[in-house]
Amino acid sequence: MKKDVMILTGAGQIGMAIVRRMGYGMKIVIGDKNIKNAETIADIMNKAGFDAVALEMDLSSRESVKGIIAEAQNYGDIAMLVNAAGVSPSQAPIETILKVDLYGTAVLLEEVGKVIAKGGAGVTISSQSGHRMPALTPEQDQLLAMTPTEDLLSLPMLQPKNIENTLHAYQMAKRCNVKRVMAEAVKWGERGARLNSISPGIIVTPLALDEFNGPRGDFYKNMFAKCPAGRPGTADEVANVAELLMHPQGAFITGADFLIDGGATASYFYGPLQPEK
């Protein structure tokens, strides 16, 4: 029997938390580059009464993205997308971050946008990092939003010589995610569907633990200690916002980005986390 389908890319804690809120009664297709991770999340979901299947998927490959979409369509119409896939600054070199987090996300939003069902909704997980980077020019923002996807990585601003380090690459990728969501939301709207992004701060997940134990660990620990909330967040708090964005209650919200960081960005610009000048 055909069902509405939800695609989850990135088999992690944030994605699973959102799917548990929104995936009941749907076929959940879980894609991850590490198939064992996808199988683990699918097993947890199935044992909780959901209907999930695991697939191997490489976000940096258009053919791989198209493959998971085609497989999902075998089960029914694609009604929801949750994109939580990506790599962090401590996990990968500059080129990989740009290929996965920036180009891969753009490809996924584009390809799902071609087939998303009327009334459908999507969220992609960006990051507070995109908000902390200095403002780009309007022309640069336009390029990130509107450049044909296959030409994105050829933009001068994204050449390795113009990227300072892996954190800068990550910030550029996340800024691009937000701009891309705005542009793609216009196209999704033509199909009667909505698309938004969420920019979490420090959320306790295995990826965050990698950062805590990485070269910028002290920076991140200081960040959540001095942010207004005084603590890191949880995956379920991100899911709280995703639930609104993907439910009918959020029907007037599309093309937007939601910063969920316990006030860390506010403190970075106007509080005790301000960098020394």
Side-chain angles (χ1 to χ4, degrees):
M1 182 177 71
K2 295 284 186 177
K3 292 184 175 182
D4 282 345
V5 180
M6 168 187 281
I7 295 177
L8 166 63
T9 56
Q13 296 299 311
I14 291 176
M16 184 171 66
I18 296 171
V19 170
R20 289 182 73 95
R21 299 288 183 89
M22 303 302 306
Y24 43 84
M26 304 181 77
K27 185 71 177 186
I28 303 165
V29 178
I30 303 171
D32 196 280
K33 189 170 184 180
N34 186 328
I35 186 62
K36 290 185 178 180
N37 289 346
E39 289 171 344
T40 295
I41 297 298
D43 183 59
I44 292 170
M45 297 298 296
N46 288 329
K47 287 178 178 177
F50 293 85
D51 182 8
V53 61
L55 296 175
E56 185 175 350
M57 187 212 73
D58 181 358
L59 185 62
S60 70
S61 163
R62 185 180 290 272
E63 288 308 308
S64 185
V65 168
K66 292 172 70 173
I68 193 173
I69 291 171
E71 179 66 22
Q73 289 178 303
N74 289 331
Y75 299 104
D77 294 331
I78 298 173
M80 290 188 179
L81 168 69
V82 177
N83 175 36
V87 293
S88 77
S90 295
Q91 292 178 318
I94 289 172
E95 292 80 2
T96 300
I97 292 170
L98 295 177
K99 188 71 183 292
V100 175
D101 291 3
L102 189 149
Y103 167 80
T105 296
V107 167
L108 180 65
L109 302 183
E110 178 180 68
E111 292 293 342
V112 173
K114 295 175 182 178
V115 299
I116 189 72
K118 183 177 181 179
V123 293
T124 189
I125 303 302
S126 186
S127 170
Q128 65 172 355
S129 285
H131 290 264
R132 289 205 313 275
M133 188 175 69
L136 300 177
T137 66
E139 292 76 18
Q140 288 174 317
D141 281 339
Q142 177 85 3
L143 287 171
L144 291 178
M146 302 295 292
T147 296
T149 308
E150 292 304 317
D151 297 332
L152 267 173
L153 295 180
S154 297
L155 291 174
M157 73 177 95
L158 298 179
Q159 298 314 297
K161 66 180 181 180
N162 295 321
I163 301 293
E164 298 172 10
N165 49 41
T166 58
L167 177 60
H168 186 207
Y170 188 73
Q171 291 174 328
M172 288 294 290
K174 297 308 179 179
R175 179 69 61 84
C176 183
N177 292 167
V178 171
K179 297 302 176 181
R180 214 72 189 179
V181 161
M182 295 178 72
E184 288 294 335
V186 178
K187 299 175 185 177
W188 282 46
E190 295 171 359
R191 298 183 60 88
R194 298 181 298 106
L195 175 66
N196 293 288
S197 59
I198 296 174
S199 291
I202 304 298
I203 307 296
V204 179
T205 65
L207 185 149
L209 293 175
D210 281 346
E211 291 299 316
F212 293 161
N213 295 315
R216 283 178 291 275
D218 290 341
F219 171 80
Y220 287 111
K221 292 172 186 175
N222 182 60
M223 181 185 297
F224 69 71
K226 291 184 179 179
C227 75
R231 62 173 177 84
T234 67
D236 285 286
E237 289 175 303
V238 178
N240 289 340
V241 176
E243 184 175 18
L244 168 64
L245 296 177
M246 301 181 80
H247 262 171
Q249 289 93 328
F252 201 55
I253 307 172
T254 192
D257 179 67
F258 289 78
L259 181 63
I260 308 174
D261 69 347
T265 300
S267 187
Y268 179 82
F269 284 109
Y270 309 117
L273 287 173
Q274 289 183 79
E276 294 183 5
K277 296 180 181 180

